[in-house]
Amino acid sequence: MDQPRQEVSLLPQLNKACGLDMHKDKIVGFISNKDGKEQELQEFGTFTCQLHQIKEWLLKNEVGHCLMESTGIYWISLYTILTEAGINVTVANPVHIKQIPKRKTDRKDARWLCTLLLHGLTRPSFIPDSQQCALRDYCRSRLFYGRQQTKITNRILKILESNNIKLMSVISTLHTKTGLNIVRLLAAEVTDKALLCSCAKGRVKAKKEQLMMALEGTLTTHHCMQLRMLLEDYDHVQKQVDLLDAAISAIISERYARAVECLDSISGIGMKSAEVIISEAGDDMTRFPSADHFTAWCGVAPGNNESAGRHKNVTVKKGNTYLRVAIVTAAWAAVKMKNSYWHALFDKLRKRMKAQKAIIAIARRLLKVAYKTIQSLNLYEEKGIAHFLDIQTRNMQYIRYKANK
């Protein structure tokens, strides 16, 4: 059967270009024209004044295009300086532009980068604008603070359990008002069980007898001091998270309000997951040719490995880690919703693959829905299990039709 035709896009070849090999303390630059007659190689330091020297060097040689690898965070400052000077900078993934094996030096790397750029053989990375960069930094910082908060909570629980205070046997999590208020009283060396149980709120009120037994432990003075120190750390981290939440909300309301609202309507994707998706991918989906390109960029799409007509098993490729974590978390939330399309699809996939593999398949489809939602800015409508059953029925009818034909 004939395959659908795909457009082949070729990058334009350049008359003159520069390759910049980036390191922490050294930058090697190589300039060459198309025929290789005019070549120049120089080494620079990485202080800000030396980065401006690179800019002046490029402008003096009338170089309008340069290529650098996205090595750590070292490329960011030079990228900003060069783009402000009107130089077209291409930042490429190091995996895509590997040097020839056994021929590896900094100078040869710079020559190789220049050669790739001259012949249009590079694929530029996605560089967000300044506002999206700020939103991305805020969301990533919030994630780091959240992990720090979890570590502090685990240390608090370890102290409580080591003294046989079974608080987690009664409440679900320590992040609730009930849990935190009880721990604060324990840290203040309060031993009155009635006073401790008065902190119970919500459904915990019905478990006062269990709570009283759980709070009978062997806390000592030095344990209480440790709890006070950890609570101070917890409160400091929570204050930082609140500041980040306010900064994120300000940017979202100014520019991304509609996109986040539409993402929030998708099953499994909450407000924080929507903010992470927007911070990493933005609201302009034209930079991704299709939804499949978007899922591959995220790292939830399996690659292709075909040779001699045989397809081999492949794993998902490396992509945007923060976006992948957010969408996989959202996929787990979506499949836990009873009578939903995602729940029914997950049950079907689980019959022929492991749960971890099935959830990646769910995450990929969920991300494609997010792509179309951001693209159209329309709210998502959950069609439920009836829609899934309808699709299965039509597929079976088509299979029978093809078999009889």
Side-chain angles (χ1 to χ4, degrees):
M1 187 177 65
D2 294 335
Q3 295 293 331
R5 295 182 61 186
Q6 295 182 355
E7 294 183 1
V8 178
S9 59
L10 296 176
L11 295 175
Q13 295 187 1
L14 304 174
N15 294 321
K16 199 170 189 179
C18 174
L20 295 169
D21 188 41
M22 307 287 298
H23 298 279
K24 180 181 178 181
D25 297 315
K26 183 177 71 171
I27 299 174
V28 180
F30 178 78
I31 296 176
S32 176
N33 58 1
K34 190 174 181 180
D35 55 14
K37 293 181 179 179
E38 299 179 8
Q39 296 184 356
E40 185 176 348
L41 183 89
Q42 281 201 29
E43 294 186 5
F44 301 90
T46 56
F47 294 115
T48 303
C49 60
Q50 294 168 324
L51 298 184
H52 283 283
Q53 290 176 5
I54 298 176
K55 178 191 70 175
E56 298 299 332
W57 179 59
L58 294 176
L59 293 176
K60 177 183 176 182
N61 286 277
E62 299 180 350
V63 176
H65 298 266
C66 66
L67 171 65
M68 63 177 70
E69 295 176 296
S70 55
T71 307
I73 58 175
Y74 306 127
W75 60 272
I76 298 177
S77 297
L78 182 58
Y79 174 86
T80 303
I81 291 173
L82 295 183
T83 51
E84 288 178 353
I87 299 174
N88 188 358
V89 183
T90 301
V91 181
N93 191 328
V95 177
H96 300 157
I97 53 176
K98 285 185 177 179
Q99 174 62 285
I100 301 173
K102 307 290 184 182
R103 294 175 58 188
K104 176 71 174 73
T105 64
D106 295 338
R107 296 191 174 193
K108 288 181 179 179
D109 278 347
R111 292 175 184 267
W112 180 245
L113 294 174
C114 182
T115 303
L116 292 176
L117 185 58
L118 280 172
H119 293 85
L121 298 176
T122 57
R123 186 167 54 185
S125 299
F126 162 49
I127 307 296
D129 57 34
S130 58
Q131 193 173 28
Q132 188 183 340
C133 276
L135 180 62
R136 178 181 288 187
D137 288 341
Y138 288 149
C139 288
R140 291 181 179 183
S141 296
R142 183 174 63 183
L143 175 63
F144 297 145
Y145 277 116
R147 291 174 180 173
Q148 184 66 25
Q149 206 168 39
T150 301
K151 290 181 181 180
I152 295 171
T153 303
N154 290 339
R155 290 181 63 190
I156 292 175
L157 291 176
K158 184 177 181 180
I159 293 174
L160 296 179
E161 288 290 342
S162 65
N163 288 278
N164 206 40
I165 295 181
K166 301 290 185 178
L167 190 59
M168 294 302 296
S169 300
V170 182
I171 64 176
S172 59
T173 175
L174 199 64
H175 293 285
T176 60
K177 289 184 178 180
T178 298
L180 287 175
N181 289 339
I182 290 176
V183 172
R184 293 184 193 282
L185 290 178
L186 291 173
E189 302 186 35
V190 175
T191 56
D192 187 356
K193 293 183 182 179
L195 182 58
L196 292 171
C197 290
S198 65
C199 298
K201 299 182 183 297
R203 289 180 291 182
V204 185
K205 290 182 179 180
K207 304 178 182 179
K208 285 194 173 181
E209 292 184 3
Q210 295 179 350
L211 189 59
M212 291 186 71
M213 290 188 293
L215 292 174
E216 187 175 352
T218 58
L219 274 180
T220 61
T221 302
H222 85 274
H223 289 130
C224 293
M225 179 180 175
Q226 285 184 299
L227 287 177
R228 287 194 295 271
M229 295 171 63
L230 290 172
L231 285 172
E232 288 181 6
D233 292 341
Y234 182 92
D235 292 338
H236 170 71
V237 172
Q238 185 60 49
K239 182 180 178 182
Q240 302 297 85
V241 171
D242 293 340
L243 290 174
L244 290 170
D245 283 337
I248 291 170
S249 298
I251 297 178
I252 292 295
S253 59
E254 179 182 347
R255 177 176 171 182
Y256 303 106
R258 179 60 182 175
V260 170
E261 181 185 1
C262 293
L263 285 174
D264 189 34
S265 66
I266 301 175
S267 303
I269 298 181
M271 184 60 69
K272 288 190 175 181
S273 295
E275 291 170 352
V276 172
I277 293 172
I278 288 296
S279 69
E280 297 297 332
D283 60 348
D284 181 14
M285 292 291 106
T286 58
R287 60 175 62 98
F288 303 104
S290 66
D292 290 327
H293 286 80
F294 184 46
T295 57
W297 181 76
C298 174
V300 293
N304 295 319
N305 189 355
E306 180 184 355
S307 180
R310 299 180 62 183
H311 293 271
K312 300 180 181 179
N313 292 332
V314 292
T315 59
V316 293
K317 303 299 181 182
K318 290 184 178 180
N320 188 301
T321 305
Y322 302 95
L323 181 54
R324 184 169 65 249
V325 169
I327 200 64
V328 170
T329 303
W332 278 116
V335 299
K336 292 179 182 179
M337 298 175 64
K338 297 294 182 66
N339 299 322
S340 68
Y341 170 83
W342 306 105
H343 180 79
L345 178 61
F346 182 73
D347 284 345
K348 178 189 175 184
L349 295 175
R350 278 288 289 114
K351 294 177 182 178
R352 56 188 177 92
M353 62 181 68
K354 294 182 179 181
Q356 291 82 358
K357 193 173 182 179
I359 204 65
I360 293 297
I362 297 292
R364 178 176 178 270
R365 299 193 185 194
L366 195 64
L367 195 61
K368 294 178 74 172
V369 172
Y371 173 89
K372 295 179 180 178
T373 300
I374 298 173
Q375 194 175 46
S376 62
L377 293 181
N378 293 327
L379 296 177
Y380 172 79
E381 295 182 6
E382 171 61 53
K383 297 181 180 179
I385 195 172
H387 177 64
F388 174 80
L389 296 175
D390 182 53
I391 292 176
Q392 297 302 306
T393 302
R394 282 184 289 174
N395 289 341
M396 290 300 299
Q397 291 174 350
Y398 179 75
I399 293 173
R400 290 170 185 166
Y401 168 76
K402 295 292 289 185
N404 294 332
K405 187 176 180 181

